[in-house]
Amino acid sequence: MKKKIGSKKDESPAQLIDARIEELDDWRGEMLSRLRALIKQADPEVVEEWKWRGVPVWSHDGLICTGETYKTVVKLTF
């Protein structure tokens, strides 16, 4: 059974991003996970956020990028 994600106040942004990756359960989840790892490798002090009703966001002294998933693409917006 897939875990349903939401904007639960008791879940950290990292937990919400983990849940999104798990919920996707296909190539999009795998790609988002790989991109997330690259972002964290490039900037170990990056801050993960969860904004706009379910968009993973990475920032460090300002916005770096967002990680959006659609039916046929995974899009990073810088």
Side-chain angles (χ1 to χ4, degrees):
M1 185 164 141
K2 291 182 185 176
K3 184 177 178 181
K4 191 70 174 172
I5 62 169
S7 59
K8 297 178 184 171
K9 300 261 189 240
D10 58 337
E11 290 187 285
S12 71
Q15 290 170 318
L16 292 167
I17 295 169
D18 288 341
R20 167 62 50 84
I21 290 167
E22 184 180 328
E23 178 186 60
L24 290 168
D25 195 31
D26 61 12
W27 68 269
R28 296 170 300 164
E30 182 181 329
M31 181 58 68
L32 184 59
S33 179
R34 290 173 61 197
L35 293 168
R36 179 190 198 190
L38 287 171
I39 292 164
K40 292 168 90 172
Q41 180 183 358
D43 183 356
E45 295 180 17
V46 72
V47 175
E48 292 187 313
E49 300 174 272
W50 187 257
K51 295 186 175 186
W52 309 298
R53 294 189 222 166
V55 176
V57 175
W58 292 273
S59 62
H60 184 151
D61 293 329
L63 182 74
I64 296 172
C65 66
T66 64
E68 300 164 72
T69 54
Y70 299 97
K71 197 172 202 173
T72 59
V73 297
V74 174
K75 178 177 97 169
L76 290 183
T77 303
F78 294 88

PDB file of all heavy atoms in Angstrom, residues 26-52:
ATOM      1  N   ASP A  26       7.920   4.743  -9.173  1.00  0.00           N
ATOM      2  CA  ASP A  26       8.280   4.448 -10.558  1.00  0.00           C
ATOM      3  C   ASP A  26       9.549   5.212 -10.900  1.00  0.00           C
ATOM      4  O   ASP A  26      10.260   5.688 -10.012  1.00  0.00           O
ATOM      5  CB  ASP A  26       7.130   4.756 -11.524  1.00  0.00           C
ATOM      6  CG  ASP A  26       6.699   6.225 -11.526  1.00  0.00           C
ATOM      7  OD1 ASP A  26       7.416   7.071 -10.951  1.00  0.00           O
ATOM      8  OD2 ASP A  26       5.638   6.535 -12.095  1.00  0.00           O
ATOM      9  N   TRP A  27       9.848   5.363 -12.169  1.00  0.00           N
ATOM     10  CA  TRP A  27      11.070   6.034 -12.607  1.00  0.00           C
ATOM     11  C   TRP A  27      11.150   7.467 -12.097  1.00  0.00           C
ATOM     12  O   TRP A  27      12.241   7.987 -11.860  1.00  0.00           O
ATOM     13  CB  TRP A  27      11.202   5.996 -14.130  1.00  0.00           C
ATOM     14  CG  TRP A  27      10.178   6.819 -14.845  1.00  0.00           C
ATOM     15  CD1 TRP A  27       8.950   6.410 -15.293  1.00  0.00           C
ATOM     16  CD2 TRP A  27      10.274   8.209 -15.161  1.00  0.00           C
ATOM     17  NE1 TRP A  27       8.280   7.460 -15.867  1.00  0.00           N
ATOM     18  CE2 TRP A  27       9.069   8.580 -15.807  1.00  0.00           C
ATOM     19  CE3 TRP A  27      11.244   9.184 -14.967  1.00  0.00           C
ATOM     20  CZ2 TRP A  27       8.823   9.878 -16.256  1.00  0.00           C
ATOM     21  CZ3 TRP A  27      10.997  10.465 -15.420  1.00  0.00           C
ATOM     22  CH2 TRP A  27       9.804  10.803 -16.053  1.00  0.00           C
ATOM     23  N   ARG A  28       9.973   8.113 -11.900  1.00  0.00           N
ATOM     24  CA  ARG A  28       9.988   9.502 -11.424  1.00  0.00           C
ATOM     25  C   ARG A  28      10.504   9.583  -9.995  1.00  0.00           C
ATOM     26  O   ARG A  28      11.267  10.487  -9.645  1.00  0.00           O
ATOM     27  CB  ARG A  28       8.598  10.123 -11.523  1.00  0.00           C
ATOM     28  CG  ARG A  28       8.100  10.221 -12.951  1.00  0.00           C
ATOM     29  CD  ARG A  28       6.652  10.606 -13.004  1.00  0.00           C
ATOM     30  NE  ARG A  28       5.856   9.592 -12.303  1.00  0.00           N
ATOM     31  CZ  ARG A  28       4.612   9.766 -11.902  1.00  0.00           C
ATOM     32  NH1 ARG A  28       3.995  10.911 -12.112  1.00  0.00           N
ATOM     33  NH2 ARG A  28       3.969   8.797 -11.287  1.00  0.00           N
ATOM     34  N   GLY A  29      10.096   8.663  -9.155  1.00  0.00           N
ATOM     35  CA  GLY A  29      10.586   8.624  -7.779  1.00  0.00           C
ATOM     36  C   GLY A  29      12.083   8.360  -7.731  1.00  0.00           C
ATOM     37  O   GLY A  29      12.812   8.984  -6.965  1.00  0.00           O
ATOM     38  N   GLU A  30      12.526   7.435  -8.576  1.00  0.00           N
ATOM     39  CA  GLU A  30      13.956   7.129  -8.654  1.00  0.00           C
ATOM     40  C   GLU A  30      14.742   8.354  -9.117  1.00  0.00           C
ATOM     41  O   GLU A  30      15.788   8.688  -8.556  1.00  0.00           O
ATOM     42  CB  GLU A  30      14.190   5.964  -9.611  1.00  0.00           C
ATOM     43  CG  GLU A  30      15.632   5.555  -9.712  1.00  0.00           C
ATOM     44  CD  GLU A  30      15.862   4.409 -10.678  1.00  0.00           C
ATOM     45  OE1 GLU A  30      14.965   3.565 -10.833  1.00  0.00           O
ATOM     46  OE2 GLU A  30      16.951   4.380 -11.286  1.00  0.00           O
ATOM     47  N   MET A  31      14.229   9.051 -10.137  1.00  0.00           N
ATOM     48  CA  MET A  31      14.928  10.230 -10.656  1.00  0.00           C
ATOM     49  C   MET A  31      14.954  11.355  -9.623  1.00  0.00           C
ATOM     50  O   MET A  31      15.989  11.998  -9.416  1.00  0.00           O
ATOM     51  CB  MET A  31      14.270  10.718 -11.946  1.00  0.00           C
ATOM     52  CG  MET A  31      14.958  11.936 -12.553  1.00  0.00           C
ATOM     53  SD  MET A  31      16.711  11.702 -12.934  1.00  0.00           S
ATOM     54  CE  MET A  31      16.590  10.531 -14.272  1.00  0.00           C
ATOM     55  N   LEU A  32      13.832  11.602  -8.955  1.00  0.00           N
ATOM     56  CA  LEU A  32      13.789  12.637  -7.930  1.00  0.00           C
ATOM     57  C   LEU A  32      14.769  12.310  -6.811  1.00  0.00           C
ATOM     58  O   LEU A  32      15.478  13.191  -6.317  1.00  0.00           O
ATOM     59  CB  LEU A  32      12.369  12.814  -7.389  1.00  0.00           C
ATOM     60  CG  LEU A  32      12.167  13.937  -6.385  1.00  0.00           C
ATOM     61  CD1 LEU A  32      12.547  15.296  -6.978  1.00  0.00           C
ATOM     62  CD2 LEU A  32      10.723  13.960  -5.899  1.00  0.00           C
ATOM     63  N   SER A  33      14.864  11.053  -6.448  1.00  0.00           N
ATOM     64  CA  SER A  33      15.798  10.626  -5.416  1.00  0.00           C
ATOM     65  C   SER A  33      17.245  10.856  -5.849  1.00  0.00           C
ATOM     66  O   SER A  33      18.074  11.343  -5.062  1.00  0.00           O
ATOM     67  CB  SER A  33      15.570   9.145  -5.105  1.00  0.00           C
ATOM     68  OG  SER A  33      16.480   8.703  -4.136  1.00  0.00           O
ATOM     69  N   ARG A  34      17.568  10.533  -7.104  1.00  0.00           N
ATOM     70  CA  ARG A  34      18.924  10.740  -7.617  1.00  0.00           C
ATOM     71  C   ARG A  34      19.277  12.226  -7.670  1.00  0.00           C
ATOM     72  O   ARG A  34      20.384  12.630  -7.304  1.00  0.00           O
ATOM     73  CB  ARG A  34      19.056  10.111  -8.997  1.00  0.00           C
ATOM     74  CG  ARG A  34      19.029   8.588  -8.953  1.00  0.00           C
ATOM     75  CD  ARG A  34      18.980   7.957 -10.318  1.00  0.00           C
ATOM     76  NE  ARG A  34      20.157   8.313 -11.100  1.00  0.00           N
ATOM     77  CZ  ARG A  34      20.235   8.179 -12.411  1.00  0.00           C
ATOM     78  NH1 ARG A  34      19.209   7.716 -13.092  1.00  0.00           N
ATOM     79  NH2 ARG A  34      21.335   8.515 -13.045  1.00  0.00           N
ATOM     80  N   LEU A  35      18.338  13.052  -8.135  1.00  0.00           N
ATOM     81  CA  LEU A  35      18.579  14.492  -8.195  1.00  0.00           C
ATOM     82  C   LEU A  35      18.755  15.080  -6.802  1.00  0.00           C
ATOM     83  O   LEU A  35      19.626  15.928  -6.571  1.00  0.00           O
ATOM     84  CB  LEU A  35      17.451  15.188  -8.942  1.00  0.00           C
ATOM     85  CG  LEU A  35      17.364  14.847 -10.434  1.00  0.00           C
ATOM     86  CD1 LEU A  35      16.053  15.349 -11.022  1.00  0.00           C
ATOM     87  CD2 LEU A  35      18.558  15.406 -11.180  1.00  0.00           C
ATOM     88  N   ARG A  36      17.942  14.612  -5.872  1.00  0.00           N
ATOM     89  CA  ARG A  36      18.051  15.065  -4.478  1.00  0.00           C
ATOM     90  C   ARG A  36      19.438  14.742  -3.923  1.00  0.00           C
ATOM     91  O   ARG A  36      20.065  15.580  -3.275  1.00  0.00           O
ATOM     92  CB  ARG A  36      16.968  14.372  -3.657  1.00  0.00           C
ATOM     93  CG  ARG A  36      16.964  14.721  -2.200  1.00  0.00           C
ATOM     94  CD  ARG A  36      16.027  13.801  -1.472  1.00  0.00           C
ATOM     95  NE  ARG A  36      15.635  14.277  -0.166  1.00  0.00           N
ATOM     96  CZ  ARG A  36      14.978  13.527   0.699  1.00  0.00           C
ATOM     97  NH1 ARG A  36      14.614  12.304   0.387  1.00  0.00           N
ATOM     98  NH2 ARG A  36      14.659  14.017   1.872  1.00  0.00           N
ATOM     99  N   ALA A  37      19.924  13.538  -4.194  1.00  0.00           N
ATOM    100  CA  ALA A  37      21.250  13.140  -3.713  1.00  0.00           C
ATOM    101  C   ALA A  37      22.340  14.026  -4.313  1.00  0.00           C
ATOM    102  O   ALA A  37      23.282  14.419  -3.612  1.00  0.00           O
ATOM    103  CB  ALA A  37      21.500  11.670  -4.041  1.00  0.00           C
ATOM    104  N   LEU A  38      22.221  14.355  -5.600  1.00  0.00           N
ATOM    105  CA  LEU A  38      23.202  15.237  -6.240  1.00  0.00           C
ATOM    106  C   LEU A  38      23.190  16.634  -5.627  1.00  0.00           C
ATOM    107  O   LEU A  38      24.247  17.241  -5.414  1.00  0.00           O
ATOM    108  CB  LEU A  38      22.942  15.323  -7.740  1.00  0.00           C
ATOM    109  CG  LEU A  38      23.312  14.088  -8.553  1.00  0.00           C
ATOM    110  CD1 LEU A  38      22.795  14.225  -9.984  1.00  0.00           C
ATOM    111  CD2 LEU A  38      24.814  13.867  -8.529  1.00  0.00           C
ATOM    112  N   ILE A  39      22.010  17.148  -5.359  1.00  0.00           N
ATOM    113  CA  ILE A  39      21.880  18.475  -4.749  1.00  0.00           C
ATOM    114  C   ILE A  39      22.542  18.477  -3.373  1.00  0.00           C
ATOM    115  O   ILE A  39      23.322  19.380  -3.041  1.00  0.00           O
ATOM    116  CB  ILE A  39      20.396  18.897  -4.654  1.00  0.00           C
ATOM    117  CG1 ILE A  39      19.824  19.128  -6.057  1.00  0.00           C
ATOM    118  CG2 ILE A  39      20.226  20.129  -3.773  1.00  0.00           C
ATOM    119  CD1 ILE A  39      18.305  19.165  -6.113  1.00  0.00           C
ATOM    120  N   LYS A  40      22.265  17.437  -2.585  1.00  0.00           N
ATOM    121  CA  LYS A  40      22.832  17.358  -1.238  1.00  0.00           C
ATOM    122  C   LYS A  40      24.339  17.125  -1.269  1.00  0.00           C
ATOM    123  O   LYS A  40      25.067  17.592  -0.396  1.00  0.00           O
ATOM    124  CB  LYS A  40      22.111  16.275  -0.442  1.00  0.00           C
ATOM    125  CG  LYS A  40      20.665  16.659  -0.134  1.00  0.00           C
ATOM    126  CD  LYS A  40      19.861  15.508   0.386  1.00  0.00           C
ATOM    127  CE  LYS A  40      19.939  15.435   1.882  1.00  0.00           C
ATOM    128  NZ  LYS A  40      19.000  14.434   2.437  1.00  0.00           N
ATOM    129  N   GLN A  41      24.813  16.416  -2.289  1.00  0.00           N
ATOM    130  CA  GLN A  41      26.252  16.203  -2.444  1.00  0.00           C
ATOM    131  C   GLN A  41      26.944  17.515  -2.825  1.00  0.00           C
ATOM    132  O   GLN A  41      28.009  17.834  -2.312  1.00  0.00           O
ATOM    133  CB  GLN A  41      26.507  15.146  -3.520  1.00  0.00           C
ATOM    134  CG  GLN A  41      27.969  14.858  -3.765  1.00  0.00           C
ATOM    135  CD  GLN A  41      28.166  13.856  -4.891  1.00  0.00           C
ATOM    136  OE1 GLN A  41      27.225  13.337  -5.474  1.00  0.00           O
ATOM    137  NE2 GLN A  41      29.411  13.579  -5.212  1.00  0.00           N
ATOM    138  N   ALA A  42      26.319  18.276  -3.701  1.00  0.00           N
ATOM    139  CA  ALA A  42      26.894  19.547  -4.145  1.00  0.00           C
ATOM    140  C   ALA A  42      26.918  20.584  -3.029  1.00  0.00           C
ATOM    141  O   ALA A  42      27.828  21.404  -2.961  1.00  0.00           O
ATOM    142  CB  ALA A  42      26.109  20.088  -5.341  1.00  0.00           C
ATOM    143  N   ASP A  43      25.915  20.538  -2.152  1.00  0.00           N
ATOM    144  CA  ASP A  43      25.841  21.486  -1.038  1.00  0.00           C
ATOM    145  C   ASP A  43      25.329  20.759   0.202  1.00  0.00           C
ATOM    146  O   ASP A  43      24.125  20.673   0.428  1.00  0.00           O
ATOM    147  CB  ASP A  43      24.916  22.657  -1.371  1.00  0.00           C
ATOM    148  CG  ASP A  43      24.867  23.705  -0.271  1.00  0.00           C
ATOM    149  OD1 ASP A  43      25.487  23.501   0.810  1.00  0.00           O
ATOM    150  OD2 ASP A  43      24.205  24.734  -0.468  1.00  0.00           O
ATOM    151  N   PRO A  44      26.245  20.212   0.999  1.00  0.00           N
ATOM    152  CA  PRO A  44      25.836  19.470   2.191  1.00  0.00           C
ATOM    153  C   PRO A  44      25.017  20.294   3.194  1.00  0.00           C
ATOM    154  O   PRO A  44      24.332  19.729   4.037  1.00  0.00           O
ATOM    155  CB  PRO A  44      27.163  19.018   2.813  1.00  0.00           C
ATOM    156  CG  PRO A  44      28.144  19.031   1.682  1.00  0.00           C
ATOM    157  CD  PRO A  44      27.690  20.166   0.792  1.00  0.00           C
ATOM    158  N   GLU A  45      25.077  21.613   3.094  1.00  0.00           N
ATOM    159  CA  GLU A  45      24.319  22.464   4.015  1.00  0.00           C
ATOM    160  C   GLU A  45      22.980  22.915   3.430  1.00  0.00           C
ATOM    161  O   GLU A  45      22.311  23.791   4.000  1.00  0.00           O
ATOM    162  CB  GLU A  45      25.164  23.676   4.403  1.00  0.00           C
ATOM    163  CG  GLU A  45      26.392  23.279   5.203  1.00  0.00           C
ATOM    164  CD  GLU A  45      27.245  24.471   5.599  1.00  0.00           C
ATOM    165  OE1 GLU A  45      26.761  25.622   5.542  1.00  0.00           O
ATOM    166  OE2 GLU A  45      28.405  24.241   5.968  1.00  0.00           O
ATOM    167  N   VAL A  46      22.573  22.321   2.321  1.00  0.00           N
ATOM    168  CA  VAL A  46      21.311  22.690   1.689  1.00  0.00           C
ATOM    169  C   VAL A  46      20.154  22.442   2.665  1.00  0.00           C
ATOM    170  O   VAL A  46      20.194  21.524   3.480  1.00  0.00           O
ATOM    171  CB  VAL A  46      21.111  21.919   0.359  1.00  0.00           C
ATOM    172  CG1 VAL A  46      20.806  20.448   0.601  1.00  0.00           C
ATOM    173  CG2 VAL A  46      20.029  22.556  -0.482  1.00  0.00           C
ATOM    174  N   VAL A  47      19.156  23.296   2.571  1.00  0.00           N
ATOM    175  CA  VAL A  47      17.954  23.165   3.403  1.00  0.00           C
ATOM    176  C   VAL A  47      16.822  22.652   2.521  1.00  0.00           C
ATOM    177  O   VAL A  47      16.557  23.205   1.458  1.00  0.00           O
ATOM    178  CB  VAL A  47      17.566  24.535   4.024  1.00  0.00           C
ATOM    179  CG1 VAL A  47      16.262  24.431   4.786  1.00  0.00           C
ATOM    180  CG2 VAL A  47      18.692  25.047   4.910  1.00  0.00           C
ATOM    181  N   GLU A  48      16.186  21.572   2.971  1.00  0.00           N
ATOM    182  CA  GLU A  48      15.041  21.044   2.238  1.00  0.00           C
ATOM    183  C   GLU A  48      13.769  21.673   2.791  1.00  0.00           C
ATOM    184  O   GLU A  48      13.597  21.784   4.012  1.00  0.00           O
ATOM    185  CB  GLU A  48      14.961  19.525   2.368  1.00  0.00           C
ATOM    186  CG  GLU A  48      16.108  18.838   1.658  1.00  0.00           C
ATOM    187  CD  GLU A  48      15.973  17.336   1.631  1.00  0.00           C
ATOM    188  OE1 GLU A  48      15.678  16.743   2.691  1.00  0.00           O
ATOM    189  OE2 GLU A  48      16.161  16.760   0.556  1.00  0.00           O
ATOM    190  N   GLU A  49      12.896  22.060   1.866  1.00  0.00           N
ATOM    191  CA  GLU A  49      11.620  22.658   2.244  1.00  0.00           C
ATOM    192  C   GLU A  49      10.508  21.998   1.440  1.00  0.00           C
ATOM    193  O   GLU A  49      10.754  21.329   0.446  1.00  0.00           O
ATOM    194  CB  GLU A  49      11.647  24.162   1.970  1.00  0.00           C
ATOM    195  CG  GLU A  49      12.739  24.889   2.746  1.00  0.00           C
ATOM    196  CD  GLU A  49      12.844  26.341   2.361  1.00  0.00           C
ATOM    197  OE1 GLU A  49      13.584  26.629   1.400  1.00  0.00           O
ATOM    198  OE2 GLU A  49      12.173  27.168   2.999  1.00  0.00           O
ATOM    199  N   TRP A  50       9.282  22.214   1.882  1.00  0.00           N
ATOM    200  CA  TRP A  50       8.089  21.663   1.239  1.00  0.00           C
ATOM    201  C   TRP A  50       7.125  22.822   1.073  1.00  0.00           C
ATOM    202  O   TRP A  50       6.593  23.334   2.051  1.00  0.00           O
ATOM    203  CB  TRP A  50       7.505  20.580   2.137  1.00  0.00           C
ATOM    204  CG  TRP A  50       6.385  19.791   1.577  1.00  0.00           C
ATOM    205  CD1 TRP A  50       5.062  19.935   1.885  1.00  0.00           C
ATOM    206  CD2 TRP A  50       6.459  18.718   0.648  1.00  0.00           C
ATOM    207  NE1 TRP A  50       4.319  19.020   1.209  1.00  0.00           N
ATOM    208  CE2 TRP A  50       5.157  18.258   0.426  1.00  0.00           C
ATOM    209  CE3 TRP A  50       7.499  18.114  -0.043  1.00  0.00           C
ATOM    210  CZ2 TRP A  50       4.860  17.214  -0.442  1.00  0.00           C
ATOM    211  CZ3 TRP A  50       7.211  17.073  -0.889  1.00  0.00           C
ATOM    212  CH2 TRP A  50       5.914  16.637  -1.079  1.00  0.00           C
ATOM    213  N   LYS A  51       6.954  23.294  -0.164  1.00  0.00           N
ATOM    214  CA  LYS A  51       6.156  24.500  -0.391  1.00  0.00           C
ATOM    215  C   LYS A  51       5.073  24.269  -1.431  1.00  0.00           C
ATOM    216  O   LYS A  51       5.107  23.292  -2.167  1.00  0.00           O
ATOM    217  CB  LYS A  51       7.059  25.641  -0.867  1.00  0.00           C
ATOM    218  CG  LYS A  51       8.067  26.101   0.166  1.00  0.00           C
ATOM    219  CD  LYS A  51       8.801  27.315  -0.330  1.00  0.00           C
ATOM    220  CE  LYS A  51       9.734  27.849   0.749  1.00  0.00           C
ATOM    221  NZ  LYS A  51      10.357  29.087   0.353  1.00  0.00           N
ATOM    222  N   TRP A  52       4.230  25.236  -1.539  1.00  0.00           N
ATOM    223  CA  TRP A  52       3.218  25.322  -2.590  1.00  0.00           C
ATOM    224  C   TRP A  52       2.416  24.033  -2.741  1.00  0.00           C
ATOM    225  O   TRP A  52       2.283  23.479  -3.819  1.00  0.00           O
ATOM    226  CB  TRP A  52       3.843  25.739  -3.915  1.00  0.00           C
ATOM    227  CG  TRP A  52       4.679  26.966  -3.783  1.00  0.00           C
ATOM    228  CD1 TRP A  52       4.260  28.204  -3.406  1.00  0.00           C
ATOM    229  CD2 TRP A  52       6.090  27.083  -3.989  1.00  0.00           C
ATOM    230  NE1 TRP A  52       5.315  29.070  -3.366  1.00  0.00           N
ATOM    231  CE2 TRP A  52       6.455  28.412  -3.725  1.00  0.00           C
ATOM    232  CE3 TRP A  52       7.081  26.189  -4.372  1.00  0.00           C
ATOM    233  CZ2 TRP A  52       7.753  28.870  -3.825  1.00  0.00           C
ATOM    234  CZ3 TRP A  52       8.381  26.646  -4.473  1.00  0.00           C
ATOM    235  CH2 TRP A  52       8.701  27.969  -4.199  1.00  0.00           C
TER     236      TRP A  52
END
